[in-house]
Amino acid sequence: QVQLVESGGGLVQAGGSLKLSCVSAGSSSDTNGIGAMAWYRQSPGMERELVARVTRYGTITYADSVKGRFAISRDFQRSDIYLEMNALEPKDTAIYYCNAVHYTGNSYWGQGTQVTVSS
């Protein structure tokens, strides 16, 4: 079992920056078995969408809407990930969720952290 805890959300004006953190916890056998980790977000009335993903080999992908503004990073020893968000826009307002996929196929989610960007 893997637990994920997000932090760093908040209210920011358009053009501002925030950094989200996702800390993983569990037995070493569980956390060592984590493969890809990712950030997703969900706005009211919308489906959850992928924001950025980093594999256990360091391959990174971004949603087109955040390319050039957001940066995902990973502490591979601790299986923690971070999301540096710059040039935030009101459309980035959402609950941001951390996701981790274990090699067994289990997918784990954090509780989410709210990001609100005011215009």
Side-chain angles (χ1 to χ4, degrees):
Q1 193 77 0
V2 175
Q3 295 82 43
L4 302 173
V5 179
E6 303 100 332
S7 63
L11 173 63
V12 64
Q13 287 190 329
S17 299
L18 283 174
K19 184 174 182 178
L20 307 183
S21 299
C22 171
V23 177
S24 67
S27 69
S28 57
S29 62
D30 285 335
T31 56
N32 288 341
I34 292 174
M37 299 187 73
W39 288 98
Y40 286 76
R41 66 186 181 187
Q42 188 167 23
S43 305
M46 303 293 286
E47 292 189 355
R48 193 172 295 189
E49 63 173 356
L50 176 68
V51 175
R53 174 188 286 124
V54 54
T55 70
R56 67 179 302 140
Y57 304 107
T59 301
I60 292 174
T61 56
Y62 294 102
D64 288 342
S65 59
V66 306
K67 283 180 181 177
R69 300 188 298 123
F70 290 11
I72 189 171
S73 58
R74 178 170 178 171
D75 182 328
F76 289 89
Q77 280 198 321
R78 299 175 53 85
S79 292
D80 299 340
I81 59 171
Y82 308 90
L83 187 67
E84 184 79 40
M85 305 186 294
N86 299 307
L88 283 161
E89 304 169 1
K91 66 180 181 179
D92 296 315
T93 294
I95 299 175
Y96 284 71
Y97 297 91
C98 177
N99 173 260
V101 180
H102 197 264
Y103 78 90
T104 57
N106 291 333
S107 181
Y108 300 97
W109 294 90
Q111 82 289 349
T113 185
Q114 176 71 49
V115 172
T116 303
V117 184
S118 64
S119 56

